[in-house]
């Protein structure tokens, strides 16, 4: 019998239509963790893989992160049979004299992150995790949490973690320095950009942390905080604005835009929709919010995201350490349980009572100036043309933030060998090489602009090479215009979308001058050279395994050629669609090349709003 990896997915087979289905999903996700709790209940160790922080902190992740789902479950009256285990673990983990003590924190530490879930749980269900504790254990818990909150948290969404701890301490009657709480609330407001959008810290990093962290925690605060009506009203108003934009990061099938870091948190991306329900904020019609929420969970039920024992793996569409961050331990994926926040609500809540409505999609492009994106809804997919954000701290930061195009259906690829130019995927980006072995891609911009639904970026792969890139939507196609100025010849490879590769390589590939096409039984991906004069050569490249986030083996159409010294203009059209439907009609009607002079006039025009997108200086 052939092993079917999707069968180990705890969500597989669950229709995920009702509140009862969602409650069952949470139990099915948690139960595989039970054999991995330590004897004293304070640690959950799942594998031997490591993160940059210490092993104990990784074990605390495994212990604490399920509470993001379990606390709402209990608050909503749901059954959970293992609160005694959590009470024991909490008491032992914070007891300096116990062998499973979590360790003292005296500086910025991963434990600060995990204590947020414990603060949230104290706030939500003190009768289950606090009140039954003996007095000595209560004193230890109070001392541990009040000690940890005195230190500086990372200058980003981490600041909310102190706020969540404080909500828990307040609930159980433990005193603390409220000046520290207020300071962080004010500093978090400093990350607000406008129109409902934040940045995650003092860099231009606008990714899924905005919905599943900044707004998620803000809406929890808006629901649970007492005596801060002005701020909670502000959080609600911002989240209401945000809903009208963030819905365009989700496709009609429930897939979320694959973009940025921490994607191993997977269906944490449903957290924003659950947070609207939790805060009783009908930012969009309840039917639409519920549809976004349930479709996203069902999307994940179709993917092999767990190991054979049902434990969630590090990875995205399948187990994949290559795409992980250096802060991902084996317990990290359980932040996905933030999706279960609406279990705190009764069946009678309008969120649960609503009939799912389809996703709101638009044929015309949707510009989002704060993240520097232009969104395009295509069948079964949403594509983001991206101005290119900077994030050097992340592994594969260029691939996660600086490609020209991202997708919900096709994900994106990370490279497995930066010294193998010929084997690189380069999906959604252009790779340049001056020696045929090493390569450079866009990592940062010197300038980034948006005018209407068109993006412009100026970037330098080397100090003496300048590339200007314009991105133009032409749904279901998009067009890229690159003006390259170089003092020496370069090799260039530009990629379209990577699609899943058929087993035994039974794909249809078409390659020729100025075009490459890959066709499987499910999808088609094509790239065309619209440049004047000599055309680049097409290649349907079978990418290295485990590079794409959604499919372990992919094929990506590419254009390859030489860039002579001087100034070269490249014009490219790319498209990917599910097989069938209007695919052949779209393939037969590629877009015409845009007029570069017209694009330049667009960004120089005073009659069209041109917005500068914040650019981070290289460091």
């Amino acid at each position: 019998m052939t092993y079917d990896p999707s069968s180990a997915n705890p969500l597989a087979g669950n229709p995920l239509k009702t509140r009862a289905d969602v409650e069952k999903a949470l139990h099915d996700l948690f139960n595989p963790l039970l054999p991995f709790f330590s004897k004293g209940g304070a640690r959950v160790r799942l594998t031997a893989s490591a993160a940059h922080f210490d092993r104990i902190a990784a074990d605390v992740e495994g212990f604490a992160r399920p509470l993001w789902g379990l606390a709402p479950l209990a608050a909503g009256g749901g059954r959970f049979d293992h609160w005694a285990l959590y009470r024991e673990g909490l008491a032992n983990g914070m007891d300096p004299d116990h062998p499973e003590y979590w360790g003292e924190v005296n500086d910025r530490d991963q434990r600060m992150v995990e204590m947020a879930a414990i603060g949230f749980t104290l706030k939500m269900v003190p009768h289950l995790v606090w009140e039954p504790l003996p007095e000595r254990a209560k004193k230890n818990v109070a001392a541990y949490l009040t000690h940890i909150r005195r230190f500086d948290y990372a200058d980003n969404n981490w600041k909310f973690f102190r706020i969540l701890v404080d909500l828990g301490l307040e609930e159980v009657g433990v005193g603390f320095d409220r000046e520290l709480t207020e300071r962080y609330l004010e500093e978090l407001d400093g990350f607000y950009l406008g129109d409902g959008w934040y940045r995650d810290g003092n860099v231009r990093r606008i990714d899924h942390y905005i919905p599943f962290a900044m707004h998620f925690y803000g809406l929890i605060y808006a629901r649970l905080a007492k005596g801060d009506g002005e701020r909670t009203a502000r959080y609600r108003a911002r989240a209401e604005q945000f809903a009208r934009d963030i819905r365009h990061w989700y496709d009609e099938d429930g897939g979320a835009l694959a973009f940025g870091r921490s994607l191993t948190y997977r269906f944490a991306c449903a957290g924003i929709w659950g947070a609207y329900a939790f805060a009783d904020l009908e930012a969009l019609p309840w039917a639409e919010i519920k549809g976004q929420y349930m479709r996203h969970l069902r999307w994940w039920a179709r993917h092999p995201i767990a190991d054979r024992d049902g434990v969630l793996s590090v990875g995205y569409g399948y187990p994949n350490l290559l795409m992980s961050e250096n802060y991902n331990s084996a317990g990290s994926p359980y932040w996905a349980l933030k999706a279960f926040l609406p279990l705190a609500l009764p069946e009678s809540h309008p969120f649960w009572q609503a009939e799912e409505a389809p996703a709101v999609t638009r044929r015309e492009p949707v510009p989002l100036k704060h993240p520097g994106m232009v969104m395009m809804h295509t069948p079964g997919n949403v594509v983001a043309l991206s101005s290119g954000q900077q994030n050097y701290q992340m592994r594969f930061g260029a691939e996660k933030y600086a490609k020209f195009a991202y997708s919900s259906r096709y994900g994106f690829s990370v490279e497995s060998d930066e010294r193998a130019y010929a084997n690189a995927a380069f999906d959604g980006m252009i790779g340049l090489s001056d020696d045929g072995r090493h390569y450079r891609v866009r990592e940062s911009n010197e300038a980034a602009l948006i005018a209407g639904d068109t993006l412009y970026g100026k970037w330098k792969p080397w100090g003496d090479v300048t590339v200007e890139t314009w991105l133009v939507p032409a749904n279901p196609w998009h067009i890229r215009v690159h003006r390259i100025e170089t003092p020496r010849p370069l090799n260039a490879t530009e990629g379209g979308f990577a699609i899943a590769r058929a087993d035994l390589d039974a794909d249809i590939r078409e390659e020729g001058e100025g075009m490459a096409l890959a066709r499987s039984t499910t999808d088609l991906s094509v790239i065309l050279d619209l440049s004047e004069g000599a055309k680049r050569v097409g290649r349907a490249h079978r990418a290295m395994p485990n590079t794409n986030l959604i499919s372990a083996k992919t094929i990506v159409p590419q254009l390859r050629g030489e860039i002579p010294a001087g100034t070269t203009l490249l014009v490219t059209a790319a498209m990917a669609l599910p097989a069938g439907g209007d695919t052949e009609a779209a393939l037969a009607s590629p877009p015409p090349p845009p007029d570069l002079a017209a694009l330049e006039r667009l960004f120089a025009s005073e009659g069209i709003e041109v917005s500068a997108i914040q650019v981070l200086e290289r460091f």
Side-chain angles (χ1 to χ4, degrees), residues 65 67 96 109 202 273 308 372 445 462 487 489 497 567 576:
R65 294 198 170 192
L67 291 170
D109 191 295
N202 288 316
W273 307 113
R308 287 178 176 82
N445 288 309
W462 290 271
F497 293 99
T567 300

Side-chain angles (χ1 to χ4, degrees), residues 280-538:
D280 200 26
L281 178 60
E282 193 176 6
L284 301 170
W286 285 124
E288 184 181 343
I289 291 174
K290 185 179 181 182
Q292 293 279 16
Y293 176 84
M294 301 301 276
R295 279 191 303 274
H296 187 65
L297 293 181
R298 291 195 293 268
W299 192 92
W300 283 109
R302 303 194 297 266
H303 290 79
I305 58 176
D307 293 318
R308 287 178 176 82
D309 54 11
V311 172
L312 293 179
S313 64
V314 174
Y316 191 65
Y318 59 95
N320 184 354
L321 285 175
L322 182 64
M323 55 75 64
S324 66
E325 320 300 347
N326 63 10
Y327 54 78
N328 287 157
S329 80
S332 294
Y334 284 88
W335 237 357
L337 301 197
K338 293 163 83 171
F340 294 94
L341 184 59
L343 287 177
L345 305 173
E347 181 78 35
S348 59
H349 191 278
F351 170 79
W352 291 119
Q353 289 296 307
E355 294 291 331
E356 290 184 39
V360 172
T361 61
R362 290 168 50 179
R363 176 72 182 177
E364 62 272 19
V366 181
L368 301 176
K369 71 176 182 179
H370 292 294
M373 291 178 174
V374 175
M375 311 305 297
M376 299 195 313
H377 289 280
T378 65
N381 188 24
V382 65
V383 172
L385 305 184
S386 177
S387 64
Q389 298 184 21
Q390 291 74 39
N391 201 314
Y392 302 107
Q393 302 100 319
M394 297 300 109
R395 182 186 297 168
F396 301 117
E399 289 95 328
K400 292 172 181 177
Y401 288 93
K403 289 179 186 271
F404 307 126
Y406 291 89
S407 162
S408 61
R409 182 176 177 88
Y410 306 111
F412 63 85
S413 304
V414 297
E415 303 295 356
S416 60
D417 189 348
E418 63 183 10
R419 293 174 298 280
Y421 168 72
N423 290 328
F426 293 137
D427 57 311
M429 64 200 320
I430 189 169
L432 302 170
S433 177
D434 60 2
D435 65 0
R437 181 184 178 194
H438 304 85
Y439 58 84
R440 302 285 181 92
V441 296
R442 179 169 72 169
E443 297 179 13
S444 64
N445 288 309
E446 289 192 339
L449 303 171
I450 183 170
D453 58 15
T454 303
L455 293 167
Y456 167 83
K458 182 179 181 181
W459 50 284
K460 296 181 76 67
W462 290 271
D464 58 350
V465 176
T466 300
V467 183
E468 293 176 279
T469 295
W470 292 261
L471 301 175
V472 183
N475 199 343
W477 298 82
H478 72 270
I479 303 172
R480 313 169 194 166
V481 180
H482 309 292
R483 183 163 58 197
I484 303 171
E485 296 183 2
T486 175
R488 60 190 182 282
L490 300 172
N491 292 311
T493 300
E494 185 167 10
F497 293 99
I499 63 173
R501 194 160 104 211
D503 200 20
L504 302 178
D505 296 329
D507 311 283
I508 296 174
R509 300 192 298 168
E510 298 180 25
E511 304 171 331
E513 184 181 59
M515 69 82 63
L517 178 148
R519 190 192 302 266
S520 70
T521 57
T522 58
D523 292 276
L524 174 144
S525 182
V526 62
I527 192 167
L528 301 177
D529 191 346
L530 304 182
S531 312
E532 292 184 1
K535 303 293 186 181
R536 289 167 284 173
V537 175

Side-chain angles (χ1 to χ4, degrees), residues 541-552:
H541 175 51
R542 288 170 176 151
M544 299 294 284
N546 306 316
T547 48
N548 185 263
L549 269 66
I550 293 178
S551 300

Side-chain angles (χ1 to χ4, degrees), residues 110-185:
Q110 183 65 25
R111 292 162 184 78
M112 293 172 163
V113 178
E114 309 318 320
M115 293 308 104
I118 291 170
F120 173 64
T121 303
L122 290 175
K123 178 67 176 179
M124 294 289 285
V125 288
H127 62 289
L128 293 173
V129 293
W130 174 264
E131 292 169 12
L133 291 178
E135 284 304 311
R136 181 175 182 276
K138 288 180 179 178
K139 289 180 181 179
N140 284 337
V141 171
Y144 197 89
L145 293 178
T146 53
H147 174 80
I148 203 168
R149 65 178 297 281
R150 293 187 296 113
F151 298 95
D152 282 336
Y153 290 60
D155 194 24
N156 52 30
N157 71 91
W158 275 39
K159 292 182 183 294
F160 263 120
F161 300 148
R162 178 190 283 168
I163 309 307
L164 290 162
V165 166
D166 292 352
L167 287 175
L169 291 173
E170 180 182 54
E171 182 67 26
V172 299
V174 175
F176 54 88
D177 181 358
R178 294 180 183 276
E179 183 180 344
L180 295 179
T181 314
E182 185 63 28
R183 186 205 311 166
Y184 268 19
L185 287 166

